[in-house]
Amino acid sequence: MTVRVLLADDQEMVRTALRLVIDRREDLSVVGESADGEQAVSHAIELRPDVVLMDVRMPGMTGVEATWRLTTSWPGPGPAPRVLVLTTFDLDEYVHAALRAGAAGFLLKNSPPDQLTHAIRTAAAGEAVLAPSVTRRLIDTVTALPAALLPHAPVPPDPAPREGRQEDGLDRPDTPGVLNALTERELHVLVLVARGMSNARIAAALGLSEGNVKSRVNRILTRLGLENRVQAALLAHQAGLTGSIRMTTTPGPRQATADSTGDPSTSS
């Protein structure tokens, strides 16, 4: 299966370089180019790409607004394309805003070709393109951003509490109503996501398979009405969960192994 890619950048030279890298891979193909946010939205609707590489700072409509429109107003048919934000700086405040708008992750423009193509494949597969260490930095910075930069930050609905939840070794405080949609185990996973842990490390810490953790993360996103794990981590931080929930489970040898080997560069 070929991953279809739309390039959105106001610099023709950048688009040309990206096309040369992407089109050399047999499983990737550039299906179009856009020079600003307005074109990115219209071209995405017309061409139906799997992934959009979206520059942040473009004339007219910015990449942030274009990302928001694609993730919240996609006309279909089929799912909206996954958006990877391109930036020159890894702590660009507009990148944070784009992630809040539903982007699947971000890449630096000086990323090596193999990292770029791997990120495109990862995003197309429905996973987030963020290293856990970067996730922590993003969370710390986004929580300090002025509200004016995040006019469209998604607000999850406030569901009724779920009945019959099983306690799962957590010293759980009173949580905001929106988080009552989660089971104890899901809340536990959410806290570890907010701490920047990859699926592999969460699996090791909880004694679960990595596939099981991935499924639980997906359920958490669905129940909270969120687009990606970055938004989930932000919600947990804003709710004060990361410091108020005490994990009483005893880490096993699998956790020690994961801690010694480090985290993968991408997670879902």
Side-chain angles (χ1 to χ4, degrees):
M1 175 182 173
T2 299
V3 177
R4 295 162 48 83
V5 182
L6 174 66
L7 306 178
D9 195 293
D10 61 326
Q11 298 184 40
E12 183 177 0
M13 184 178 299
V14 172
R15 299 197 306 271
T16 299
L18 291 172
R19 178 183 283 273
L20 288 174
V21 170
I22 294 169
D23 280 344
R24 287 178 179 175
R25 272 59 177 184
E26 292 183 358
D27 60 332
L28 304 177
S29 176
V30 174
V31 296
E33 299 182 14
S34 307
D36 56 46
E38 288 280 2
Q39 287 186 3
V41 172
S42 62
H43 288 168
I45 294 173
E46 174 187 357
L47 300 172
R48 310 284 171 171
D50 301 301
V51 176
V52 178
L53 292 185
M54 184 80 73
D55 187 22
V56 177
R57 299 177 179 179
M58 294 184 287
M61 183 188 294
T62 67
V64 175
E65 181 64 23
T67 297
W68 172 254
R69 291 197 184 185
L70 290 177
T71 57
T72 62
S73 304
W74 182 249
R82 304 278 288 176
V83 178
L84 287 180
V85 175
L86 291 172
T87 180
T88 305
F89 306 104
D90 61 349
L91 288 179
D92 188 328
E93 61 189 10
Y94 293 99
V95 174
H96 305 149
L99 290 171
R100 290 290 298 271
F106 82 90
L107 292 171
L108 298 180
K109 288 187 177 180
N110 62 355
S111 299
D114 287 345
Q115 183 177 341
L116 169 67
T117 53
H118 176 71
I120 292 172
R121 297 185 186 100
T122 300
E127 300 182 10
V129 184
L130 290 171
S133 60
V134 173
T135 301
R136 284 190 288 269
R137 291 161 64 193
L138 285 169
I139 291 167
D140 291 341
T141 307
V142 171
T143 53
L145 285 177
L149 277 178
L150 305 171
H152 301 305
V155 178
D158 190 1
R162 292 170 57 85
E163 299 295 334
R165 292 178 300 181
Q166 298 297 315
E167 293 300 322
D168 192 29
L170 293 178
D171 181 11
R172 176 177 176 152
D174 293 334
T175 55
V178 63
L179 296 179
N180 285 333
L182 305 183
T183 65
E184 295 290 349
R185 178 63 88 178
E186 289 166 349
L187 187 66
H188 200 163
V189 171
L190 175 61
V191 171
L192 298 184
V193 168
R195 292 177 181 174
M197 293 176 66
S198 66
N199 287 349
R201 288 193 63 193
I202 294 174
L206 301 183
L208 302 172
S209 70
E210 191 170 347
N212 185 290
V213 172
K214 183 175 180 179
S215 296
R216 290 176 186 270
V217 171
N218 288 336
R219 284 200 298 271
I220 289 169
L221 298 180
T222 299
R223 286 175 176 173
L224 297 181
L226 302 175
E227 294 290 336
N228 53 52
R229 66 194 291 137
V230 177
Q231 292 180 355
L234 286 171
L235 178 61
H237 274 262
Q238 291 165 352
L241 293 184
T242 54
S244 59
I245 292 184
R246 174 173 56 85
M247 290 178 284
T248 59
T249 53
T250 302
R254 291 179 61 193
Q255 183 179 4
T257 300
D259 287 344
S260 64
T261 56
D263 290 322
S265 61
T266 59
S267 54
S268 65

